[in-house]
């Protein structure tokens, strides 16, 4: 136990020193702490309103709340699986301190458990951050009492350990069995595996059952199906059953499900420890093999040059360097596979929406869903920007100080990071909103409103992530995953979601008027430009503020760091 604590002490000391560093930072940290509390309160309020509405639905309310709990826990489980796959690969096989640790007379089991704790902490803290107000809202609405919060405290550690151990196990097997002359080969299969997992997890949840009651024989059968977990072999369903027993006074064998979770939470780390003892040294040795040289791809250099040609020579040089670095770093480009999985599953959602069953006019409900889609696309872009745009400055590492001796201004450096991340994010955002609106068959004016809004939001999201990443840089990192899961990452996510929420709220008024008039008349109303123009102009003003303020603050922070 002492050896494990000793191995964890560098991580703990780095966190403690980061927290204590700089007396002038306490005012900023107090503000950010208050902002985090505000975010929790806002999340609690929104979830509480939704659950209160569910509770008002006679007989069906608890079933709806239970299905929402299942979906939330399943989403958390999938996030933990992906995050642990990437973090485990970095922590066990790519971390910079492994050469030093492997040269010490250290037990393999002690090394494994220390890395498992680090992997779990780095992969799980953000899920904890977002889950606490959700659980608090459930307890407040359905009156679970102290017993409900006790079950939450008992279940959460088990819920986090299971996907962490499973992710470490899968990573060990991939590294051991695959030819590791290049680490990107390993990450290719990790990304492919993650794609398969998210697809099957999504299909197992069967979300379309919530809006297709006619597929059941009668209401009792429908209610029974709604109260039955769709994927009974997953830890998310076991946790939901335990919590539902207290929240909804259901006759659930909570002891059985908790014992089931505890047995898996004990078995997976132990089994993975055995496998790690057998395969780790061979796998780590393979991961250290030198990369094979490849011939220069002249056509790719020409494409990169053409893409970056509109920018100034200094910005172009930094962008070309970043693009080539990104393509050479398997831990970065392999995440594109997860991005493809996200896009496919996202667009599939719109294919199964039964909009023709709505009591509202078909065109009106399509417009409402398309407008809600703006917020969803914004959240997707925010998540992608957290992985790629937020670490942009930190990825310079120690070379950041070398850049200070070159004739490159911090302004040019920062704007190069902004433009390099903006272009792919614009492509993703416009593709998502265009394809989903095609599936919804929205009118032309709604298509144009969506495309223009996402265009403006992408500028703001990119600037927020690059700017906050520059204000909270982490040049000394063991693996890339640590950058996005840092304290600055949480602040960046809060600001991004706040900006998205403000933009959607600004544009919500004309859509609300349109939907209200359609409900009263039973016909879709004609949209006039004066109804949309003020909201759209305000959204553009918000985007301008979201671009200018973070970039200026980031420049000031980097200049102060330089001095």
């Amino acid at each position: 136990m002492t050896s494990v604590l000793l191995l964890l002490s560098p991580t703990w000391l780095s966190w403690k020193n980061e927290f204590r560093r700089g007396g002038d930072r306490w005012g900023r940290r107090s503000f950010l702490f208050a902002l985090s509390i505000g975010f929790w309160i806002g999340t609690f309020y929104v979830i509480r309103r939704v659950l209160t509405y569910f509770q008002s639905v006679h007989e069906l309310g608890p079933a709806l709340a239970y299905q929402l709990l299942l979906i939330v826990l399943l989403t958390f489980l999938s996030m933990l699986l992906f995050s642990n796959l990437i973090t485990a690969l970095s922590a066990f096989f790519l971390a910079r301190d492994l050469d030093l640790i492997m040269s010490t007379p250290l037990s393999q089991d002690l090394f494994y458990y220390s890395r498992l704790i680090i992997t779990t902490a780095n992969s799980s803290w953000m899920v904890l951050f977002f889950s606490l107000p959700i659980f608090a809202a459930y307890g407040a609405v359905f009156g679970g009492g102290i017993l409900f919060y006790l079950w939450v405290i008992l279940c959460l550690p088990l819920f986090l350990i299971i996907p962490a151990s499973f992710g470490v196990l899968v990573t060990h097997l991939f590294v051991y069995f695959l030819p590791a002359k290049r680490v990107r080969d390993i990450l290719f299969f990790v990304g492919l595996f993650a794609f398969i997992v998210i697809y099957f997890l999504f299909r197992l949840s069967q979300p379309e059952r919530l809006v297709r009651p006619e597929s059941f024989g009668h209401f009792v059968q429908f209610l029974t199906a709604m109260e039955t977990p769709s994927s009974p072999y997953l830890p998310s369903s076991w946790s939901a059953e335990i919590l539902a027993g207290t929240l909804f006074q259901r006759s659930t064998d909570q002891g059985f499900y908790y014992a089931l979770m505890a047995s898996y939470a004990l078995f997976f780390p132990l089994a993975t420890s055995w496998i790690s003892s057998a395969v780790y040294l061979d796998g780590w040795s393979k991961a250290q093999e030198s990369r094979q040289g490849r011939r220069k791809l002249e056509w790719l250099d020409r494409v990169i040059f053409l893409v970056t040609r509109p920018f100034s020579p200094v910005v172009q040089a930094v962008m070309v360097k970043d693009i080539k670095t990104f393509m050479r770093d398997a831990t970065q480009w392999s995440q594109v596979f997860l991005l493809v999985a996200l896009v496919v599953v996202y667009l599939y959602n719109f294919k199964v929406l039964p909009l023709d069953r709505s009591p509202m006019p078909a065109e009106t409900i399509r417009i409402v869903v398309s407008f809600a889609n703006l917020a969803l696309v914004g959240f997707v872009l925010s998540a992608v920007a957290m992985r790629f745009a937020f670490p942009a400055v930190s990825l310079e590492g120690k070379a950041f100080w070398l850049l200070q001796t070159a004739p490159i201004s911090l302004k040019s450096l920062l704007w190069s990071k902004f433009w390099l991340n903006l272009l792919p994010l614009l492509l993703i955002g416009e593709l998502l909103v265009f394809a989903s609106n095609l599936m919804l068959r929205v009118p032309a004016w709604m298509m144009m409103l969506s495309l223009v809004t996402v265009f403006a939001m992408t500028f703001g999201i990119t600037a927020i992530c690059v700017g906050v990443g520059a204000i909270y840089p982490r040049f000394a990192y063991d693996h890339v995953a640590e950058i996005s899961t840092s304290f600055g990452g949480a602040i960046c996510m809060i600001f991004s979601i706040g900006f998205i929420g403000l933009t959607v709220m600004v544009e919500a008024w004309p859509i609300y008027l349109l939907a209200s008039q359609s409900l009263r008349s039973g016909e879709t109303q004609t949209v006039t430009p004066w109804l949309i123009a003020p909201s759209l102009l305000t959204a553009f003003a918000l985007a301008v503020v979201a671009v200018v303020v973070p970039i200026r603050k980031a420049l000031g922070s980097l200049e102060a760091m330089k001095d």
Side-chain angles (χ1 to χ4, degrees):
M1 183 64 181
T2 304
S3 299
V4 173
L5 295 177
L6 182 63
L7 289 173
L8 294 175
S9 61
T11 303
W12 163 251
L13 290 175
S14 66
W15 289 347
K16 186 174 69 173
N17 293 336
E18 178 69 20
F19 181 76
R20 291 180 175 179
R21 187 180 61 182
D24 59 337
R25 295 172 178 250
W26 285 107
R28 182 189 302 173
R29 287 172 178 170
S30 300
F31 170 74
L32 295 177
F33 176 76
L35 187 66
S36 301
I37 297 298
F39 177 80
W40 275 353
I41 293 174
T43 303
F44 172 81
Y45 176 77
V46 171
I47 299 297
R48 186 172 180 271
R49 286 290 299 271
V50 172
L51 294 177
T52 302
Y53 173 75
F54 284 169
Q55 192 181 38
S56 65
V57 180
H58 182 62
E59 294 186 357
L60 193 58
L64 291 172
Y66 173 73
Q67 285 295 323
L68 179 62
L69 181 63
L70 274 176
I71 293 174
V72 168
L73 291 175
L74 185 60
T75 302
F76 286 158
L77 181 64
S78 61
M79 291 171 59
L80 289 170
L81 283 174
F82 301 151
S83 182
N84 279 290
L85 281 171
I86 296 173
T87 307
L89 184 63
S90 300
F92 279 87
F93 297 99
L94 302 177
R96 297 177 180 178
D97 59 347
L98 288 177
D99 291 336
L100 175 62
I101 294 178
M102 289 295 102
S103 64
T104 60
L106 182 68
S107 167
Q108 178 62 32
D109 288 339
L110 295 177
F111 168 76
Y112 161 77
Y113 283 110
S114 66
R115 290 287 154 161
L116 177 63
I117 294 173
I118 293 174
T119 300
T120 305
N122 286 335
S123 302
S124 306
W125 74 269
M126 193 166 289
V127 169
L128 282 175
F129 179 83
F130 287 103
S131 66
L132 293 180
I134 297 177
F135 291 132
Y138 268 93
V141 173
F142 292 97
I146 190 65
L147 184 59
F148 168 71
Y149 297 106
L150 179 62
W151 276 120
V152 170
I153 294 173
L154 291 175
C155 290
L156 271 181
L158 307 182
F159 186 76
L160 299 177
I161 291 172
I162 293 174
S165 304
F166 185 75
V168 171
L169 172 63
V170 172
T171 302
H172 273 70
L173 295 179
F174 272 129
V175 174
Y176 180 75
F177 287 108
L178 296 179
K181 292 182 179 179
R182 302 191 71 175
V183 180
R184 81 170 55 181
D185 297 329
I186 301 171
L187 287 172
F188 171 83
F189 286 97
V190 171
L192 183 61
F193 175 80
F195 172 82
I196 295 172
V197 168
I198 191 172
Y199 177 79
F200 280 103
L201 284 179
F202 180 81
R203 291 311 304 136
L204 285 172
S205 67
Q206 300 178 12
E208 63 270 18
R209 298 189 313 160
L210 296 176
V211 290
R212 290 182 180 175
E214 70 275 7
S215 61
F216 301 90
H218 46 80
F219 178 76
V220 175
Q221 185 181 359
F222 171 67
L223 187 62
T224 303
M226 291 283 287
E227 295 178 344
T228 304
S230 55
S231 47
Y233 302 109
L234 293 178
S236 55
S237 297
W238 306 338
S239 303
E241 284 294 307
I242 294 173
L243 300 180
T246 303
L247 286 173
F248 312 125
Q249 286 77 46
R250 292 175 51 177
S251 57
T252 302
D253 193 347
Q254 294 173 299
F256 168 76
Y257 285 109
Y258 185 77
L260 192 61
M261 287 189 67
S263 62
Y264 273 83
L266 293 173
F267 169 76
F268 266 126
L270 184 60
T272 306
S273 174
W274 295 338
I275 295 175
S276 178
S277 299
V279 306
Y280 178 75
L281 290 179
D282 289 337
W284 179 70
S285 178
K286 290 180 181 180
Q288 308 311 306
E289 293 179 7
S290 61
R291 296 162 53 139
Q292 290 181 340
R294 291 189 177 182
R295 61 184 180 88
K296 186 177 180 180
L297 300 177
E298 295 182 359
W299 66 269
L300 185 57
D301 290 338
R302 287 195 294 268
V303 171
I304 295 175
F305 177 78
L306 290 175
V307 171
T308 58
R309 189 173 182 177
F311 302 95
S312 66
V314 173
V315 173
Q316 183 185 24
V318 177
M319 292 177 70
V320 170
K321 185 266 297 181
D322 287 342
I323 292 174
K324 292 187 175 182
T325 303
F326 175 82
M327 296 175 64
R328 293 168 184 167
D329 188 356
T331 60
Q332 287 291 303
W333 70 258
S334 62
Q335 299 178 41
V336 173
F337 293 105
L338 302 182
L339 183 59
V340 172
L342 177 66
V343 171
V344 171
V345 174
Y346 184 90
L347 294 178
Y348 179 81
N349 292 343
F350 292 90
K351 184 179 179 181
V352 299
L353 282 177
L355 301 179
D356 54 334
R357 298 180 179 87
S358 173
M360 298 174 61
E363 187 172 346
T364 302
I365 189 61
R366 290 191 182 100
I367 292 172
V368 172
V369 173
S370 176
F371 180 75
N373 183 41
L374 294 178
L376 298 178
V377 170
F379 295 150
V380 170
L381 291 176
S382 180
V384 175
M386 275 295 302
R387 277 296 182 184
F388 296 101
F390 178 78
V393 174
S394 298
L395 286 175
E396 294 293 339
K398 296 179 180 179
F400 176 79
W401 310 111
L402 181 62
L403 287 173
Q404 305 309 305
T405 64
I408 301 175
S409 66
L410 289 175
K411 183 177 180 180
S412 298
L413 177 65
L414 202 59
W415 280 111
S416 69
K417 305 293 184 183
F418 171 79
W419 291 114
L420 183 60
N421 286 279
L422 174 69
L423 298 178
L425 286 174
L426 268 179
L427 178 63
I428 295 169
E430 298 293 343
L431 173 64
L432 283 177
V433 75
F434 181 76
S436 55
N437 281 345
L438 280 182
M439 294 180 182
L440 293 172
R441 302 191 303 276
V442 299
W445 69 267
M446 189 63 203
M447 175 69 81
M448 291 302 301
L449 176 65
S450 301
L451 293 174
V452 172
T453 302
V454 169
F455 180 83
M457 277 201 306
T458 307
F459 274 81
I461 292 171
T462 306
I464 289 172
C465 289
V466 172
V468 176
I471 296 173
Y472 294 95
R474 187 167 185 171
F475 299 116
Y477 58 90
D478 290 328
H479 45 86
V480 178
E482 291 181 351
I483 302 175
S484 298
T485 56
S486 63
F487 175 74
I491 301 305
C492 178
M493 183 64 73
I494 292 174
F495 276 111
S496 296
I497 293 178
F499 166 67
I500 295 166
L502 283 176
T503 304
V504 173
M505 288 172 60
V506 164
E507 295 188 355
W509 179 247
I511 303 299
Y512 171 75
L513 290 179
L514 176 68
S516 300
Q517 294 173 5
S518 299
L519 286 176
R520 287 194 295 267
S521 63
E523 298 178 356
T524 304
Q525 301 298 309
T526 304
V527 178
T528 55
W530 66 266
L531 186 63
I532 299 177
S535 298
L536 194 58
L537 290 175
T538 307
F540 265 96
L542 285 174
V544 171
V545 173
V547 171
V548 172
V549 173
I551 296 297
R552 285 187 176 179
K553 292 289 185 181
L555 282 174
S557 178
L558 293 178
E559 289 286 355
M561 190 182 305
K562 181 179 178 181
D563 298 335

